[in-house]
Structures are given as structure tokens and as C-alpha cells.
């Protein structure tokens, strides 16, 4: 397993204003979510502190919080390591995601105006451009934004809150298969937009269920690097 070292310049130093403890936590969580810090990677407090331009104390506090939330494993006499998810963990999370997002698609189809449809179409175009440019980071971010917009159009606050709780982990699992999903994912998004625009709740539900299941299946078939 490699240490926490990252390419020079890949981690911007944090601005001092604001709650430093929270900013360090968010910075480390984003690095883990995007897999700049990969599963199993050793997280060395001093190295991370130097890269973020902070003392070791907020880094230590952030690692403890990330450990509590299941993103980091603290091992006695060894230190901190990015959590390595099991296949079962991934399956459970992605299955819950399917339940949440199929309901969101149904609700979005039941009541979405033209402005919402246009927003989905623009995000889809952005995602297609990202895939064409082989920009995985942008494709992952745009995919997350697309699904968040569908959730927003659903208009159910409780559903949105539940989806928000799993959003980071969905991105974490989607990142290593984003290139494999590629164009197919955005074709499915286009099909979903058409169903929502037509107000076809059943069709939107079916498309979203198939779409999220494709991602879950692709994750389990992924190439492990």
C-alpha cells in the first residue's frame, strides 16, 4: 500500500478564514471520494498537514471523524488508511441508491416543468462532452449533478435528504467505473429525460431502475487496479 503522498500541486493549501477543522475534513473527504487518495492508501498525518498547509491537529481530528463515518480505518500501531469497501458494502449502498432514485424519477415525471427539463438536457450535454474528452473527473461530477437535479425535480424534501446521505459514496463507487459506463450512461440519461418530459411515470421509473442497476453490475465487474 502506498503512502499519502500526492503529485505536487494536486492538493491546494487551505485558506485560513473559516472553520479550519471542517475545511480539512471536507478537503480529505473530497480527495477520498474522487480517489485521489485510493482505497487502502496509508494516510500520514505529517504529509497531509504539509500538503494542506495546516498543523497536524486538524488533520488528526479529521481522520478521527472520517474513521467514525467509515471512510478511514485507524489501525493500532499502523496508522490511518483509506477504507477498502467490500463487495457487500458496495452492493448494499448501490441497491439503496436504486430505491431512492427510481422514486425520484417517478416523482419528477409526475410534475416537472420545461425549465427543469432544460436543466437536465444541459447537464446531459455536458456529460457527453466530458466522456468524449475522456475527462473522468468532470464526467463523475456531472453525473452526480444530473442525478441531484432529478432528485430536486422530485420535490420531496425527505427523499432528497436521504439521497444526500449516500451521494458521496455513490460518487466513490461510480468513479472507478465511469469510463466503462461511458457513452451508454448518457444515452440512458437521454432516455430518462424523454420519459420525464412526457410525464410517463412508469417509463421513468423503469429507465432509472435499469440505469442504476447497470452501474451496480458494472462496479462488480470492474477491473481492479
Amino acid at each position: 500500500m502506498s503512502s499519502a503522498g500526492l503529485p505536487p500541486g494536486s492538493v491546494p493549501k487551505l485558506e485560513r478564514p473559516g472553520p479550519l477543522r471542517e475545511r480539512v475534513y471536507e478537503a480529505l473527504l473530497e480527495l477520498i471520494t474522487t480517489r485521489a487518495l485510493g482505497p487502502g492508501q496509508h494516510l500520514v498525518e505529517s504529509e497531509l498537514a504539509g500538503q494542506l498547509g495546516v498543523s497536524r491537529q486538524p488533520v488528526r481530528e479529521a481522520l478521527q471523524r472520517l474513521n467514525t463515518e467509515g471512510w478511514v480505518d485507524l489501525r493500532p500501531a499502523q496508522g490511518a488508511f483509506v477504507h477498502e469497501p467490500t463487495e457487500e458494502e458496495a452492493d448494499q449502498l448501490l441497491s439503496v441508491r436504486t430505491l431512492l432514485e427510481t422514486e425520484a424519477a417517478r416523482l419528477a415525471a409526475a410534475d416537472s416543468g420545461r425549465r427543469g427539463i432544460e436543466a437536465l438536457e444541459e447537464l446531459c450535454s455536458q456529460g457527453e462532452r466530458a466522456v468524449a474528452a475522456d475527462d473522468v473527473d468532470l464526467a463523475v461530477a456531472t453525473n452526480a449533478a444530473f442525478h441531484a437535479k432529478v432528485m430536486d425535480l422530485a420535490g420531496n424534501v425527505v427523499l432528497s435528504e436521504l439521497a444526500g446521505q449516500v451521494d458521496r459514496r455513490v460518487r466513490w463507487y461510480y468513479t472507478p467505473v465511469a469510463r466503462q459506463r461511458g457513452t451508454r450512461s448518457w444515452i440512458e440519461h437521454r432516455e430518462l429525460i424523454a420519459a420525464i418530459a412526457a410525464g410517463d411515470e412508469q417509463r421513468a421509473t423503469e429507465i432509472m431502475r435499469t440505469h442504476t442497476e447497470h452501474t451496480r453490475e458494472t462496479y462488480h465487474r470492474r477491473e481492479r487496479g
Side-chain angles (χ1 to χ4, degrees):
M1 297 177 184
S2 57
S3 69
L6 292 166
S10 64
V11 183
K13 286 184 168 45
L14 301 179
E15 298 291 338
R16 285 291 175 178
L20 186 60
R21 180 185 309 173
E22 185 68 22
R23 292 171 70 84
V24 171
Y25 163 81
E26 285 293 336
L28 292 179
L29 181 53
E30 184 66 14
L31 289 168
I32 292 172
T33 302
T34 60
R35 297 192 178 232
L37 294 172
Q41 190 162 346
H42 188 198
L43 304 174
V44 181
E45 285 182 11
S46 59
E47 291 182 9
L48 292 171
Q51 290 164 344
L52 293 171
V54 299
S55 68
R56 293 176 62 172
Q57 183 60 30
V59 172
R60 183 177 301 115
E61 293 173 351
L63 291 176
Q64 290 171 343
R65 179 177 172 185
L66 291 166
N67 172 68
T68 300
E69 295 174 355
W71 292 100
V72 166
D73 297 327
L74 296 179
R75 304 174 188 171
Q78 295 184 55
F81 297 81
V82 178
H83 179 65
E84 296 185 73
T86 65
E87 294 298 301
E88 183 178 8
E89 286 173 3
D91 198 66
Q92 289 178 359
L93 188 284
L94 295 173
S95 293
V96 168
R97 181 235 188 168
T98 293
L99 294 174
L100 296 174
E101 301 230 17
T102 52
E103 178 63 7
R106 184 188 71 79
L107 291 172
D111 185 25
S112 286
R114 187 62 216 167
R115 184 171 298 179
I117 300 301
E118 290 174 351
L120 290 177
E121 289 173 341
E122 175 54 35
L123 286 167
C124 199
S125 295
Q126 182 176 326
E128 290 164 345
R129 291 193 294 270
V131 170
D134 196 31
D135 188 335
V136 173
D137 289 342
L138 180 57
V140 171
T142 308
N143 180 72
F146 181 92
H147 284 270
K149 186 61 183 178
V150 173
M151 193 64 64
D152 178 58
L153 295 177
N156 186 308
V157 175
V158 175
L159 190 64
S160 293
E161 289 176 350
L162 291 172
Q165 292 175 25
V166 303
D167 174 66
R168 291 265 200 177
R169 292 191 188 274
V170 170
R171 285 173 56 199
W172 194 35
Y173 293 126
Y174 185 71
T175 296
V177 301
R179 186 172 278 115
Q180 288 173 260
R181 288 289 277 131
T183 302
R184 182 68 237 174
S185 178
W186 296 97
I187 291 173
E188 293 164 4
H189 284 158
R190 287 286 181 192
E191 293 171 349
L192 178 64
I193 293 172
I196 292 175
D200 190 334
E201 296 177 43
Q202 182 177 350
R203 179 67 177 148
T205 299
E206 292 172 351
I207 292 171
M208 182 64 92
R209 180 178 294 110
T210 299
H211 173 70
T212 54
E213 282 297 298
H214 281 167
T215 296
R216 186 176 68 86
E217 292 164 2
T218 303
Y219 179 84
H220 288 307
R221 297 195 309 265
R222 73 195 182 286
E223 295 181 3
R224 293 164 176 79

Coordinates of all heavy atoms in Angstrom, one line a residue, residues 25-39 71 85 89-90 93-95 97-98 101 135-149 162-179 181 186 189 211-212 215-216 219 222:
Y25 N -11.5 18.5 7.0 CA -12.3 17.3 6.8 C -12.9 17.3 5.4 O -12.8 16.2 4.8 CB -13.5 17.4 7.9 CG -14.6 16.5 7.6 CD1 -14.5 15.1 7.9 CD2 -15.7 17.0 6.9 CE1 -15.6 14.3 7.6 CE2 -16.8 16.1 6.6 CZ -16.7 14.8 7.0 OH -17.8 14.0 6.7
E26 N -13.4 18.4 4.9 CA -14.0 18.4 3.6 C -13.0 18.1 2.5 O -13.2 17.4 1.5 CB -14.7 19.7 3.3 CG -16.1 19.9 4.1 CD -17.1 18.9 3.5 OE1 -17.0 18.5 2.4 OE2 -18.1 18.6 4.3
A27 N -11.8 18.7 2.7 CA -10.7 18.5 1.7 C -10.3 17.1 1.6 O -10.2 16.5 0.6 CB -9.5 19.4 2.1
L28 N -10.1 16.4 2.8 CA -9.8 15.0 2.8 C -10.9 14.1 2.3 O -10.6 13.2 1.5 CB -9.4 14.6 4.2 CG -8.1 15.2 4.8 CD1 -7.8 14.7 6.2 CD2 -6.9 14.9 3.9
L29 N -12.1 14.4 2.6 CA -13.2 13.6 2.1 C -13.4 13.7 0.6 O -13.6 12.7 -0.1 CB -14.5 14.1 2.8 CG -15.8 13.3 2.4 CD1 -15.6 11.8 2.6 CD2 -17.0 13.9 3.2
E30 N -13.1 14.9 0.1 CA -13.2 15.1 -1.4 C -12.1 14.3 -2.1 O -12.3 13.7 -3.1 CB -13.1 16.6 -1.7 CG -13.2 16.9 -3.2 CD -14.6 16.5 -3.8 OE1 -15.6 16.3 -3.0 OE2 -14.7 16.5 -5.0
L31 N -10.9 14.3 -1.5 CA -9.7 13.5 -2.0 C -10.0 12.0 -2.0 O -9.7 11.3 -2.9 CB -8.5 13.8 -1.3 CG -7.9 15.2 -1.5 CD1 -6.8 15.5 -0.5 CD2 -7.3 15.4 -2.9
I32 N -10.7 11.6 -1.0 CA -11.1 10.2 -0.9 C -12.2 9.8 -1.9 O -12.2 8.8 -2.6 CB -11.5 9.8 0.6 CG1 -10.3 9.9 1.5 CG2 -12.1 8.4 0.6 CD1 -10.7 9.7 3.0
T33 N -13.2 10.7 -1.9 CA -14.4 10.5 -2.8 C -13.9 10.4 -4.3 O -14.4 9.6 -5.0 CB -15.4 11.6 -2.7 OG1 -15.8 11.7 -1.3 CG2 -16.6 11.4 -3.5
T34 N -13.0 11.3 -4.7 CA -12.5 11.3 -6.1 C -11.4 10.3 -6.3 O -11.0 10.1 -7.4 CB -12.0 12.7 -6.4 OG1 -10.9 13.0 -5.6 CG2 -13.1 13.7 -6.3
R35 N -11.0 9.6 -5.2 CA -10.0 8.5 -5.3 C -8.6 9.1 -5.6 O -7.7 8.4 -6.1 CB -10.4 7.4 -6.2 CG -11.7 6.7 -5.7 CD -11.9 5.4 -6.4 NE -13.2 4.8 -5.9 CZ -13.2 3.5 -5.4 NH1 -12.2 2.7 -5.5 NH2 -14.3 3.0 -4.9
A36 N -8.4 10.4 -5.4 CA -7.0 10.9 -5.4 C -6.3 10.3 -4.3 O -5.1 10.0 -4.4 CB -7.1 12.4 -5.2
L37 N -7.0 9.9 -3.2 CA -6.5 9.1 -2.1 C -7.3 7.8 -2.2 O -8.5 7.7 -2.0 CB -6.7 9.7 -0.7 CG -5.9 11.0 -0.4 CD1 -6.4 11.6 0.9 CD2 -4.4 10.7 -0.4
G38 N -6.6 6.7 -2.7 CA -7.3 5.5 -3.1 C -7.5 4.6 -1.9 O -6.9 4.7 -0.9
P39 N -8.5 3.6 -2.0 CA -8.7 2.6 -1.0 C -7.5 1.9 -0.6 O -6.7 1.5 -1.5 CB -9.7 1.7 -1.7 CG -10.5 2.6 -2.6 CD -9.4 3.5 -3.2
W71 N -15.0 6.1 6.4 CA -14.2 6.5 5.2 C -12.7 6.1 5.4 O -12.0 5.9 4.5 CB -14.2 8.0 4.9 CG -15.6 8.4 4.4 CD1 -16.5 9.1 5.1 CD2 -16.1 8.3 3.0 NE1 -17.6 9.4 4.3 CE2 -17.3 8.9 3.0 CE3 -15.5 7.8 1.9 CZ2 -18.1 9.0 1.9 CZ3 -16.3 7.9 0.7 CH2 -17.6 8.4 0.7
P85 N -13.7 -0.7 0.6 CA -15.0 -1.3 0.7 C -15.1 -2.7 0.2 O -14.4 -3.1 -0.7 CB -15.8 -0.4 -0.2 CG -14.8 0.1 -1.2 CD -13.5 0.2 -0.5
E89 N -20.6 -4.3 0.9 CA -20.9 -2.9 1.2 C -21.3 -2.1 0.0 O -22.3 -1.3 0.0 CB -19.6 -2.2 1.8 CG -19.3 -2.6 3.2 CD -17.9 -2.1 3.7 OE1 -17.3 -1.3 2.9 OE2 -17.5 -2.4 4.8
A90 N -20.6 -2.3 -1.1 CA -21.0 -1.6 -2.3 C -22.3 -2.0 -2.8 O -23.2 -1.2 -3.2 CB -19.9 -1.9 -3.4
L93 N -25.1 -0.4 -0.7 CA -25.3 1.1 -0.9 C -25.9 1.3 -2.3 O -26.8 2.1 -2.4 CB -23.9 1.7 -0.8 CG -23.8 3.3 -0.9 CD1 -23.9 3.8 -2.3 CD2 -24.7 3.9 0.1
L94 N -25.4 0.6 -3.3 CA -26.0 0.9 -4.6 C -27.4 0.4 -4.8 O -28.2 0.9 -5.6 CB -25.0 0.3 -5.7 CG -23.6 0.9 -5.7 CD1 -22.7 0.1 -6.7 CD2 -23.7 2.4 -6.2
S95 N -27.8 -0.6 -4.0 CA -29.2 -1.1 -4.0 C -30.1 -0.1 -3.4 O -31.2 0.2 -3.9 CB -29.3 -2.4 -3.3 OG -28.6 -3.5 -4.0
R97 N -29.5 3.1 -3.3 CA -29.5 4.2 -4.3 C -30.5 3.9 -5.3 O -31.3 4.9 -5.7 CB -28.1 4.3 -4.9 CG -28.0 5.4 -5.9 CD -27.5 5.0 -7.3 NE -27.2 6.1 -8.2 CZ -26.6 6.0 -9.3 NH1 -26.1 4.8 -9.7 NH2 -26.4 7.0 -10.1
T98 N -30.7 2.7 -5.8 CA -31.7 2.4 -6.8 C -33.1 2.7 -6.3 O -33.9 3.3 -7.0 CB -31.6 0.9 -7.2 OG1 -30.3 0.7 -7.9 CG2 -32.7 0.5 -8.1
E101 N -33.6 6.6 -6.1 CA -33.6 7.3 -7.4 C -34.7 6.9 -8.3 O -35.2 7.7 -9.1 CB -32.2 7.1 -8.1 CG -31.1 7.6 -7.2 CD -30.1 8.5 -8.0 OE1 -30.5 9.0 -9.1 OE2 -29.0 8.7 -7.5
D135 N -12.6 13.0 -19.9 CA -12.4 13.7 -18.7 C -13.3 13.0 -17.6 O -14.4 13.4 -17.4 CB -12.9 15.2 -18.8 CG -12.5 16.1 -17.6 OD1 -12.4 15.5 -16.5 OD2 -12.4 17.3 -17.8
V136 N -12.7 12.1 -16.9 CA -13.4 11.2 -16.0 C -13.9 12.0 -14.8 O -15.0 11.9 -14.3 CB -12.5 10.1 -15.5 CG1 -13.2 9.3 -14.3 CG2 -12.2 9.1 -16.6
D137 N -13.1 12.9 -14.3 CA -13.5 13.7 -13.1 C -14.7 14.6 -13.4 O -15.7 14.6 -12.6 CB -12.3 14.7 -12.7 CG -11.2 13.9 -12.0 OD1 -11.4 12.7 -11.6 OD2 -10.1 14.5 -11.9
L138 N -14.7 15.2 -14.6 CA -15.9 16.0 -15.0 C -17.1 15.1 -15.2 O -18.2 15.5 -14.9 CB -15.6 16.8 -16.2 CG -16.7 17.7 -16.7 CD1 -17.1 18.7 -15.6 CD2 -16.3 18.5 -18.0
A139 N -16.9 14.0 -15.8 CA -18.0 13.0 -16.1 C -18.6 12.6 -14.8 O -19.9 12.5 -14.7 CB -17.5 11.8 -16.9
V140 N -17.8 12.3 -13.8 CA -18.3 11.9 -12.5 C -19.1 13.0 -11.8 O -20.2 12.8 -11.3 CB -17.2 11.4 -11.6 CG1 -17.7 11.1 -10.1 CG2 -16.6 10.1 -12.1
A141 N -18.5 14.2 -11.8 CA -19.2 15.3 -11.2 C -20.5 15.7 -11.9 O -21.5 16.0 -11.2 CB -18.2 16.5 -11.2
T142 N -20.5 15.6 -13.2 CA -21.7 15.9 -14.0 C -22.8 14.9 -13.8 O -24.0 15.2 -13.7 CB -21.4 16.1 -15.5 OG1 -20.3 17.0 -15.6 CG2 -22.6 16.6 -16.2
N143 N -22.3 13.6 -13.7 CA -23.3 12.5 -13.4 C -24.0 12.8 -12.0 O -25.2 12.6 -11.9 CB -22.5 11.2 -13.4 CG -23.5 10.0 -13.1 OD1 -24.3 9.6 -13.9 ND2 -23.4 9.4 -11.9
A144 N -23.2 13.1 -11.0 CA -23.7 13.4 -9.7 C -24.7 14.6 -9.8 O -25.8 14.6 -9.2 CB -22.6 13.7 -8.7
A145 N -24.3 15.6 -10.5 CA -25.2 16.8 -10.7 C -26.5 16.5 -11.4 O -27.6 17.0 -11.0 CB -24.5 17.9 -11.4
F146 N -26.4 15.6 -12.4 CA -27.6 15.2 -13.1 C -28.6 14.5 -12.2 O -29.8 14.8 -12.1 CB -27.2 14.2 -14.3 CG -28.4 13.8 -15.1 CD1 -28.8 14.5 -16.2 CD2 -29.1 12.6 -14.8 CE1 -29.9 14.1 -17.0 CE2 -30.2 12.2 -15.5 CZ -30.6 12.9 -16.6
H147 N -28.1 13.5 -11.4 CA -28.9 12.8 -10.5 C -29.5 13.7 -9.4 O -30.6 13.5 -8.9 CB -28.2 11.6 -9.9 CG -28.1 10.4 -10.9 ND1 -29.0 9.4 -11.0 CD2 -27.1 10.2 -11.9 CE1 -28.7 8.6 -12.0 NE2 -27.5 9.0 -12.5
A148 N -28.7 14.6 -9.0 CA -29.1 15.6 -7.9 C -30.3 16.4 -8.5 O -31.2 16.8 -7.8 CB -28.0 16.4 -7.5
K149 N -30.2 16.8 -9.8 CA -31.2 17.6 -10.4 C -32.5 16.8 -10.5 O -33.6 17.3 -10.2 CB -30.8 18.1 -11.8 CG -31.8 19.0 -12.4 CD -31.9 20.3 -11.5 CE -33.0 21.2 -12.1 NZ -33.2 22.4 -11.2
L162 N -32.4 11.9 2.3 CA -31.8 10.5 2.3 C -30.8 10.3 1.2 O -29.8 9.7 1.4 CB -33.0 9.5 2.1 CG -34.0 9.5 3.3 CD1 -35.2 8.6 3.0 CD2 -33.2 8.9 4.6
A163 N -31.1 10.9 0.0 CA -30.2 10.7 -1.1 C -28.9 11.5 -0.9 O -27.8 11.0 -1.2 CB -30.9 11.3 -2.4
G164 N -29.0 12.6 -0.2 CA -27.8 13.4 0.2 C -26.9 12.6 1.1 O -25.6 12.7 1.0
Q165 N -27.4 11.7 1.9 CA -26.6 10.9 2.8 C -25.8 9.9 2.1 O -24.7 9.4 2.6 CB -27.5 10.2 3.8 CG -28.2 11.2 4.8 CD -29.2 10.5 5.7 OE1 -29.0 9.3 6.0 NE2 -30.1 11.2 6.2
V166 N -26.2 9.4 0.9 CA -25.5 8.4 0.2 C -24.7 9.0 -1.1 O -24.0 8.3 -1.7 CB -26.4 7.3 -0.3 CG1 -27.1 6.6 0.9 CG2 -27.4 7.7 -1.3
D167 N -24.9 10.3 -1.3 CA -24.4 10.8 -2.6 C -22.9 10.7 -2.7 O -22.3 10.3 -3.7 CB -24.7 12.3 -2.6 CG -24.1 13.0 -3.8 OD1 -24.4 12.7 -5.0 OD2 -23.2 13.9 -3.6
R168 N -22.1 11.0 -1.6 CA -20.7 10.9 -1.6 C -20.2 9.4 -1.9 O -19.3 9.2 -2.7 CB -20.1 11.3 -0.3 CG -20.2 12.8 0.0 CD -19.0 13.5 -0.4 NE -18.9 14.8 0.2 CZ -17.9 15.7 0.1 NH1 -16.9 15.4 -0.6 NH2 -17.9 16.8 0.8
R169 N -20.9 8.5 -1.3 CA -20.5 7.1 -1.5 C -20.9 6.6 -2.9 O -20.1 5.8 -3.5 CB -21.1 6.2 -0.4 CG -20.5 6.5 0.9 CD -20.9 5.4 1.9 NE -20.4 5.8 3.3 CZ -19.2 5.6 3.8 NH1 -18.3 5.0 3.0 NH2 -18.9 6.0 5.0
V170 N -22.0 7.1 -3.5 CA -22.3 6.8 -4.8 C -21.2 7.3 -5.8 O -20.7 6.6 -6.7 CB -23.6 7.4 -5.2 CG1 -23.9 7.3 -6.8 CG2 -24.8 6.7 -4.5
R171 N -20.7 8.5 -5.5 CA -19.6 9.0 -6.4 C -18.4 8.2 -6.2 O -17.6 7.9 -7.1 CB -19.3 10.5 -6.0 CG -20.3 11.5 -6.4 CD -20.0 12.9 -5.9 NE -18.6 13.3 -6.2 CZ -18.0 14.3 -5.5 NH1 -18.6 14.9 -4.5 NH2 -16.8 14.6 -5.9
W172 N -18.1 7.8 -5.0 CA -16.9 6.9 -4.7 C -16.9 5.6 -5.4 O -15.9 5.2 -6.0 CB -16.9 6.7 -3.2 CG -15.6 6.1 -2.6 CD1 -14.4 6.4 -3.0 CD2 -15.5 5.2 -1.5 NE1 -13.5 5.8 -2.2 CE2 -14.1 5.0 -1.3 CE3 -16.4 4.6 -0.7 CZ2 -13.7 4.2 -0.3 CZ3 -16.0 3.7 0.3 CH2 -14.6 3.5 0.5
Y173 N -18.1 5.0 -5.5 CA -18.2 3.7 -6.2 C -18.3 4.0 -7.7 O -17.9 3.1 -8.5 CB -19.5 3.0 -5.7 CG -19.4 2.5 -4.3 CD1 -20.4 2.8 -3.4 CD2 -18.3 1.7 -3.9 CE1 -20.3 2.3 -2.1 CE2 -18.2 1.3 -2.6 CZ -19.2 1.6 -1.7 OH -19.1 1.1 -0.4
Y174 N -18.9 5.1 -8.2 CA -19.0 5.4 -9.6 C -17.7 5.7 -10.3 O -17.5 5.3 -11.4 CB -20.0 6.5 -9.8 CG -20.3 6.7 -11.3 CD1 -21.1 5.8 -12.0 CD2 -19.9 7.8 -11.9 CE1 -21.4 6.0 -13.3 CE2 -20.2 8.1 -13.3 CZ -20.9 7.1 -14.0 OH -21.2 7.3 -15.3
T175 N -16.8 6.4 -9.5 CA -15.6 6.9 -10.1 C -14.8 5.8 -10.9 O -14.3 6.0 -12.0 CB -14.7 7.6 -9.1 OG1 -15.4 8.7 -8.6 CG2 -13.3 8.0 -9.7
P176 N -14.5 4.6 -10.2 CA -13.7 3.6 -10.9 C -14.4 2.9 -12.1 O -13.7 2.2 -12.9 CB -13.4 2.6 -9.8 CG -14.5 2.7 -8.9 CD -14.9 4.2 -8.9
V177 N -15.7 3.2 -12.3 CA -16.4 2.6 -13.5 C -16.9 3.6 -14.5 O -17.6 3.2 -15.4 CB -17.6 1.6 -13.0 CG1 -17.0 0.5 -12.1 CG2 -18.7 2.4 -12.3
A178 N -16.6 4.9 -14.2 CA -17.2 5.9 -15.0 C -16.7 5.8 -16.5 O -17.5 6.0 -17.4 CB -16.7 7.3 -14.5
R179 N -15.5 5.4 -16.7 CA -15.0 5.2 -18.1 C -15.7 4.0 -18.7 O -16.0 4.0 -19.9 CB -13.5 5.1 -18.1 CG -12.9 5.0 -19.5 CD -11.4 5.1 -19.5 NE -10.8 6.4 -19.3 CZ -10.1 6.9 -18.3 NH1 -9.9 6.0 -17.3 NH2 -9.7 8.1 -18.2
R181 N -18.7 2.8 -18.0 CA -20.1 3.2 -18.3 C -20.2 4.1 -19.5 O -21.0 4.0 -20.4 CB -20.7 3.9 -17.1 CG -21.0 3.0 -15.9 CD -22.1 2.0 -16.2 NE -23.4 2.7 -16.0 CZ -24.4 2.7 -16.8 NH1 -24.3 2.1 -18.0 NH2 -25.6 3.2 -16.5
W186 N -24.9 8.0 -20.6 CA -25.6 9.3 -21.0 C -26.7 9.0 -22.0 O -27.6 9.8 -22.1 CB -24.5 10.2 -21.5 CG -23.6 10.6 -20.4 CD1 -22.4 10.1 -20.1 CD2 -23.9 11.5 -19.3 NE1 -21.9 10.6 -19.0 CE2 -22.8 11.5 -18.5 CE3 -24.9 12.4 -19.1 CZ2 -22.7 12.3 -17.3 CZ3 -24.9 13.2 -17.9 CH2 -23.8 13.1 -17.1
H189 N -29.4 8.4 -19.7 CA -29.9 9.7 -19.2 C -30.8 10.4 -20.2 O -31.8 11.0 -19.8 CB -28.7 10.6 -18.9 CG -27.9 10.3 -17.7 ND1 -26.6 10.6 -17.5 CD2 -28.3 9.5 -16.6 CE1 -26.2 10.2 -16.3 NE2 -27.2 9.5 -15.7
H211 N -31.0 1.9 -15.2 CA -29.8 2.7 -15.3 C -28.9 2.5 -14.0 O -27.7 2.2 -14.1 CB -30.2 4.1 -15.4 CG -29.0 5.1 -15.3 ND1 -28.1 5.3 -16.2 CD2 -28.7 6.0 -14.3 CE1 -27.2 6.2 -15.9 NE2 -27.6 6.6 -14.7
T212 N -29.5 2.5 -12.9 CA -28.8 2.4 -11.6 C -28.3 0.9 -11.4 O -27.2 0.7 -10.9 CB -29.6 2.8 -10.4 OG1 -30.8 2.1 -10.4 CG2 -29.9 4.3 -10.4
T215 N -25.1 0.4 -13.4 CA -23.9 0.9 -12.6 C -23.5 -0.1 -11.6 O -22.3 -0.3 -11.4 CB -24.2 2.3 -12.0 OG1 -24.5 3.3 -13.0 CG2 -23.1 2.8 -11.1
R216 N -24.5 -0.6 -10.8 CA -24.1 -1.6 -9.8 C -23.5 -2.8 -10.4 O -22.5 -3.3 -9.8 CB -25.4 -2.0 -9.0 CG -25.2 -2.9 -7.8 CD -26.5 -3.2 -7.1 NE -27.4 -4.0 -7.9 CZ -27.4 -5.3 -7.9 NH1 -26.4 -6.0 -7.2 NH2 -28.2 -6.0 -8.6
Y219 N -19.9 -2.0 -11.5 CA -19.0 -1.9 -10.4 C -18.5 -3.3 -10.0 O -17.3 -3.5 -9.8 CB -19.7 -1.3 -9.2 CG -18.7 -1.2 -8.0 CD1 -17.8 -0.1 -7.9 CD2 -18.7 -2.1 -7.0 CE1 -16.9 0.0 -6.8 CE2 -17.8 -2.1 -5.9 CZ -16.9 -1.0 -5.8 OH -16.1 -0.9 -4.8
R222 N -15.9 -4.6 -12.5 CA -14.9 -3.6 -12.8 C -13.5 -4.3 -12.8 O -13.3 -5.4 -12.1 CB -14.9 -2.5 -11.8 CG -14.3 -2.9 -10.4 CD -14.6 -1.9 -9.4 NE -14.1 -2.2 -8.0 CZ -14.6 -3.2 -7.3 NH1 -15.6 -3.9 -7.6 NH2 -14.0 -3.4 -6.1

